[in-house]
């Protein structure tokens, strides 16, 4: 508390009014206490407490006190509501101060914050009446400056994160191509009609392409051979094995012809009940639900077959429609499609960006750290793929990091038009609104940004600081080691916690050191104030002017080292 004993020199007024020696009680002091002037949520509120001594307030006296903030750098001033007191014989509705016992003077003054208030003084202007005579007392200064530490909350690049929408570029894409060779009942010969089918021809053609192309790599060919579950187990096992051998023989012959090499992995299954069930589920066969229940009820394959054959009405359809599809060898070729190298993509992004796919072009922006180069790439994305929101979103992120908030906002707005529900875009729009001071829009945007991660809590923490809900801000920042989290702790008077956060900031900057100086000032650590301010000013000279007028350091104004830093 800043305590001041203020001598109300009503004596001067009395001399003028009465041309005689003023009554002694007119010159008794009023003791006034003023809490520090601080800005919270755009308001400056100050409580002024005082005491009117006994036999001071004349019975017919009226006194009006008006708190006034006066700028020290211009003629601007801001007046709060006045408070009027009256003696016990005055007929009015003001607070009464009795002559013999005195009384309390208490006034709460509220001002809408103006940036000039940081360098200001709080004065009390006092006017009064004694009977019919009016008097004015010279204004009395009761406080210096307004503490605006909550405004140290930061929203620029590096302090608040924005969200890039990632590309889906994959350098290696696994491709699979399938074909089937079907066999006649109880046979294992590979028929000419089967190997000339479209699927088999396409498979061999793809093997030839992969063998010749530098960007195609065959990683394996799997052959799975089956028998239908309508014969004995021993017979089916031998039959499935023969079909496997025949299929391998055919494919090896084709590989030799194509001069291609690929690892073959083969296996056979005597009775393909899984395939049978899958085909039954897809069919329109009468009683298929009954048949599927039979499959689930019996685990023994021979019992399953016998029960299904008992359903004579359905069995003919099964024999005609289902079982022929199960007498097969299934071939699956696995190929890695290898994309362009980083060097190729980077070169094409510069020379012929229109030859790149969307994902390649987006990926190319990750190959450079130069922000202007990134901006060029994302601009090209917006030109070539005008309906793709990621180009506009990512361009906005780059412009924000470059400090061009207006350009960032325009890009994010366009991205939002293209993808109104996207969480990252809504989040980024909210960040721009924060920078512009539009808290309501920021809150609306962040409400649509669920799922973007911990950074959503951090920007909501910024909003909480702006609303002077400092405890909520501390909760939202959690264990984050960032400047804004430390500021929230400073504003809740957790100075040890604030220092711990600031000492853990991954990339400390001038703001980090300035906040450490604020912590030190509040703990009356002169050496730490000077040391941290020196680092802040060396990193960014703009902090010198801020420190010179910051009431956080008012107590150090006469310190030689401090004065030398800010002069």
């Amino acid at each position: 508390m800043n305590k001041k004993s203020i001598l109300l020199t009503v004596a001067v007024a009395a001399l003028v009014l009465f041309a005689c020696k003023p009554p002694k009680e007119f010159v008794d002091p009023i003791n006034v206490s003023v809490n520090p002037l601080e800005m919270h949520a755009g308001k400056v509120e100050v409580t002024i407490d005082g005491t009117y001594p006994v036999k001071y307030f004349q019975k017919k006296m009226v006194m009006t006190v008006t708190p006034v903030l006066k700028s020290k750098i211009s003629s601007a001033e801001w007046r709060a509501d006045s408070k009027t007191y009256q003696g016990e014989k005055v007929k009015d509705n003001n607070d009464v101060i009795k002559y013999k016992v005195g009384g309390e003077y208490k006034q709460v003054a509220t001002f809408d914050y103006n940036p000039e208030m940081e360098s200001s003084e709080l004065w009390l202007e006092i006017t009064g009446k004694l009977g019919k005579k009016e008097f004015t007392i010279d204004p009395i200064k009761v406080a210096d400056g307004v503490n605006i530490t909550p405004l140290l909350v930061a929203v620029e690049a590096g302090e608040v994160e924005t969200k890039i929408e990632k590309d889906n570029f994959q350098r290696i894409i696994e491709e699979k191509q399938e074909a089937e060779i079907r066999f006649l009942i109880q046979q294992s010969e590979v028929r000419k009609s089967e190997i000339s089918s479209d699927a088999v021809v396409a498979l061999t053609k793809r093997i030839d392409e992969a063998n010749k192309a530098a960007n195609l790599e065959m990683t394996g060919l799997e052959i799975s051979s089956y028998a239908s579950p309508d014969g004995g187990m021993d017979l089916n096992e031998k039959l499935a094995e023969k079909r496997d051998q025949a299929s391998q023989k055919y494919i090896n012959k084709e590989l030799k012809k194509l001069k291609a090499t690929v690892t073959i992995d083969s296996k056979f299954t005597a009775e393909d009940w899984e395939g049978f069930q899958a085909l039954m589920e897809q069919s329109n066969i009468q009683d298929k639900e009954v048949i599927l229940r039979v499959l689930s009820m019996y685990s023994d394959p021979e019992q399953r077959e016998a029960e299904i054959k008992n359903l004579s009405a359905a069995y003919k359809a099964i024999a005609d429609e289902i079982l022929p599809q199960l007498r097969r060898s299934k071939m699956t070729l696995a190929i890695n499609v290898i994309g362009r190298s980083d060097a190729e993509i980077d070169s094409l992004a510069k020379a012929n960006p229109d030859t790149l796919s969307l994902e390649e072009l987006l990926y190319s922006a990750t190959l450079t750290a130069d922000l202007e180069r990134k901006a060029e790439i994302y601009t090209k994305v917006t030109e070539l793929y005008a309906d793709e929101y990621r180009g506009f979103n990512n361009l906005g992120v780059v412009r924000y990091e470059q400090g061009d908030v207006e350009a960032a906002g325009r890009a994010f707005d366009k991205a939002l038009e293209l993808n109104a529900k996207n969480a990252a875009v809504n989040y980024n729009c909210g960040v721009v609104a924060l920078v512009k001071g539009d808290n309501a829009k920021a809150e609306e945007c962040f409400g649509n940004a669920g799922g973007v991660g911990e950074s959503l809590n951090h920007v909501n923490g910024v909003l909480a600081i702006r609303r002077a809900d400092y405890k909520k801000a501390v909760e939202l920042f959690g264990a984050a080691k960032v400047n804004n989290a430390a500021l929230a702790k400073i504003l809740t008077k957790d100075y040890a916690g604030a220092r711990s956060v600031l000492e853990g900031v991954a990339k400390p900057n001038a703001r980090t050191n300035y906040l450490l100086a604020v912590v030190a000032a509040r703990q009356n650590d002169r050496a730490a104030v000077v040391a941290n301010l020196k680092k802040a000013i060396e990193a960014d000279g703009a902090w010198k002017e801020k420190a010179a007028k910051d009431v956080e350091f008012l107590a150090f104004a006469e310190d030689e080292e401090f004065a030398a830093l800010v002069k």
Side-chain angles (χ1 to χ4, degrees):
M1 302 289 278
N2 292 326
K3 294 187 176 181
K4 297 180 181 291
S5 294
I6 303 172
L7 182 61
L8 298 181
T9 54
V10 181
V12 176
L15 283 170
V16 174
L17 292 172
F18 307 117
C20 64
K21 187 177 180 180
K24 179 182 178 183
E25 54 267 25
F26 268 47
V27 294
D28 282 345
I30 297 178
N31 294 315
V32 176
S33 297
V34 180
N35 70 311
L37 278 71
E38 296 179 341
M39 190 288 302
H40 299 290
K43 299 286 184 182
V44 177
E45 185 177 286
V46 57
T47 300
I48 309 165
D49 291 297
T51 302
Y52 288 107
V54 297
K55 295 183 179 180
Y56 172 81
F57 216 99
Q58 300 294 299
K59 293 180 180 181
K60 292 184 178 182
M61 188 166 75
V62 175
M63 182 177 286
T64 298
V65 182
T66 305
V68 182
L69 267 177
K70 298 183 179 182
S71 172
K72 294 167 66 175
I73 58 177
S74 75
S75 60
E77 62 180 40
W78 305 271
R79 307 177 72 81
D81 292 338
S82 300
K83 183 71 177 285
T84 300
Y85 294 86
Q86 66 187 48
E88 54 198 292
K89 287 189 176 182
V90 176
K91 293 181 179 180
D92 210 335
N93 294 319
N94 304 305
D95 289 351
V96 176
I97 304 297
K98 293 186 177 181
Y99 175 71
K100 288 187 177 181
V101 298
E104 290 187 357
Y105 159 66
K106 186 178 183 68
Q107 186 168 10
V108 177
T110 303
F111 306 89
D112 291 328
Y113 174 69
N114 181 291
E116 283 193 43
M117 289 179 180
E118 184 177 15
S119 295
S120 64
E121 298 171 332
L122 179 62
W123 292 74
L124 300 182
E125 293 185 354
I126 304 169
T127 60
K129 290 175 64 177
L130 186 56
K132 294 183 180 181
K133 301 292 185 177
E134 296 183 355
F135 60 88
T136 300
I137 297 175
D138 288 341
I140 303 164
K141 190 176 91 168
V142 294
D144 285 292
V146 173
N147 186 310
I148 61 169
T149 294
L151 292 183
L152 290 176
V153 65
V155 291
E156 62 264 25
E159 299 285 359
V160 172
E161 183 182 8
T162 45
K163 297 293 181 181
I164 282 279
E165 282 288 77
K166 293 182 179 179
D167 60 85
N168 296 316
F169 172 72
Q170 288 181 270
R171 192 177 312 284
I172 298 176
I173 299 174
E174 186 181 45
E175 173 191 285
K176 290 191 176 181
Q177 187 150 343
E178 297 180 349
E180 284 188 353
I181 296 174
R182 292 186 182 177
F183 299 89
L184 294 176
I185 186 170
Q186 295 187 3
Q187 293 187 20
S188 59
E189 291 81 13
V190 176
R191 294 173 293 161
K192 185 176 181 180
S193 60
E194 288 299 307
I195 61 176
S196 62
S197 68
D198 290 346
V200 174
V201 170
L203 180 71
T204 54
K205 181 180 179 181
R206 192 59 172 160
I207 291 174
D208 189 35
E209 291 171 348
N211 187 48
K212 295 175 180 177
N215 69 321
L216 298 177
E217 177 188 31
M218 290 184 287
T219 58
L221 192 152
E222 183 181 280
I223 301 175
S224 298
S225 302
Y226 304 89
S228 58
D230 56 337
M233 176 64 74
D234 290 342
L235 173 64
N236 281 345
E237 187 168 6
K238 291 177 182 178
L239 187 57
E241 183 178 11
K242 287 182 179 179
R243 288 172 177 171
D244 176 67
Q245 292 169 350
S247 299
Q248 286 190 62
K249 182 178 179 180
Y250 163 74
I251 204 68
N252 279 319
K253 181 180 177 181
E254 292 300 306
L255 289 170
K256 184 177 181 180
K257 188 188 302 181
L258 298 171
K259 297 181 180 180
T261 303
V262 62
T263 301
I264 297 175
D265 179 22
S266 68
K267 61 182 179 180
F268 59 88
T269 302
E271 296 186 341
D272 186 11
W273 286 106
E274 289 183 6
F276 179 87
Q277 180 174 345
L279 291 171
M280 284 299 303
E281 288 174 343
Q282 298 168 18
S283 75
N284 295 316
I285 293 175
Q286 184 180 5
D287 295 329
K288 80 172 182 179
E289 297 299 331
V290 177
I291 294 169
L292 290 171
R293 280 200 299 273
V294 168
L295 288 177
S296 65
M297 289 170 59
Y298 299 102
S299 58
D300 181 71
E302 292 184 0
Q303 191 171 9
R304 281 178 178 172
E305 183 183 356
E307 292 295 334
I308 290 171
K309 284 182 177 179
N310 288 337
L311 300 168
S312 55
Y315 190 74
K316 186 176 186 309
I318 293 172
D320 292 342
E321 299 177 27
I322 303 297
L323 297 180
Q325 298 183 65
L326 300 177
R327 301 165 188 140
R328 73 201 193 281
S329 286
K330 180 180 177 182
M331 298 177 290
T332 304
L333 175 67
I335 296 177
N336 282 339
V337 181
I338 303 171
R340 295 182 173 101
S341 68
D342 285 359
E344 289 172 322
I345 291 173
D346 185 53
S347 177
L348 287 171
K350 294 173 182 174
N352 299 103
D354 54 339
T355 63
L356 296 174
S357 69
L358 168 62
E359 302 306 331
E360 287 175 321
L361 193 53
L362 286 170
Y363 173 72
S364 71
T366 69
L367 302 177
T368 177
D370 182 75
L371 290 178
E372 194 52 43
R373 176 69 190 129
K374 285 178 181 287
E376 290 173 3
I377 293 170
Y378 289 133
T379 298
K380 183 58 69 173
V381 173
T382 66
E383 293 169 357
L384 296 175
Y385 304 96
D387 293 333
E388 174 55 53
Y389 81 96
R390 287 177 295 172
F392 292 99
N393 178 78
N394 295 359
L395 177 61
V397 169
V398 174
R399 293 306 187 204
Y400 172 79
E401 290 179 357
Q402 290 178 316
D404 191 343
V405 177
E406 292 298 328
R410 290 192 296 272
F412 292 143
D413 286 344
K414 181 61 179 177
L416 200 63
E417 287 180 20
L418 295 170
N419 196 339
K421 294 184 178 180
N422 182 268
V425 176
N426 275 281
Y427 171 89
N428 290 335
C429 286
V431 169
V432 169
L434 272 186
V435 177
K436 293 183 175 182
D438 190 345
N439 294 342
K441 182 178 179 182
E443 183 175 20
E444 179 185 352
C445 293
F446 295 148
N448 297 321
V452 300
E454 193 65 23
S455 55
L456 183 59
N457 282 339
H458 297 174
V459 291
N460 279 319
V462 170
L463 283 175
I465 289 174
R466 287 185 173 179
R467 295 186 180 117
D469 191 351
Y470 305 131
K471 289 183 179 180
K472 181 65 175 177
V474 169
E475 292 177 10
L476 288 166
F477 283 112
K481 301 290 187 180
V482 295
N483 289 333
N484 287 334
L487 176 62
K489 289 183 180 293
I490 290 172
L491 296 172
T492 55
K493 297 181 171 55
D494 179 6
Y495 304 131
R499 185 185 295 276
S500 175
V501 169
L502 292 166
E503 289 174 347
V505 171
K507 295 181 179 179
N509 54 21
R511 187 181 301 273
T512 311
N513 291 117
Y514 194 88
L515 289 172
L516 279 167
V518 170
V519 171
R522 293 196 177 194
Q523 294 181 317
N524 200 31
D525 185 344
R526 188 200 68 83
V529 168
V530 172
N532 284 291
L533 275 183
K534 184 178 180 181
K535 289 181 182 178
I537 293 168
E538 286 175 349
D540 183 351
W543 290 101
K544 176 188 288 190
E545 182 181 355
K546 166 66 177 169
K549 59 186 177 181
D550 195 338
V551 297
E552 291 281 8
F553 308 116
L554 196 60
F556 303 92
E558 303 303 321
D559 182 88
E560 290 185 5
E561 286 190 86
F562 176 85
L565 275 176
V566 301
K567 70 178 181 179

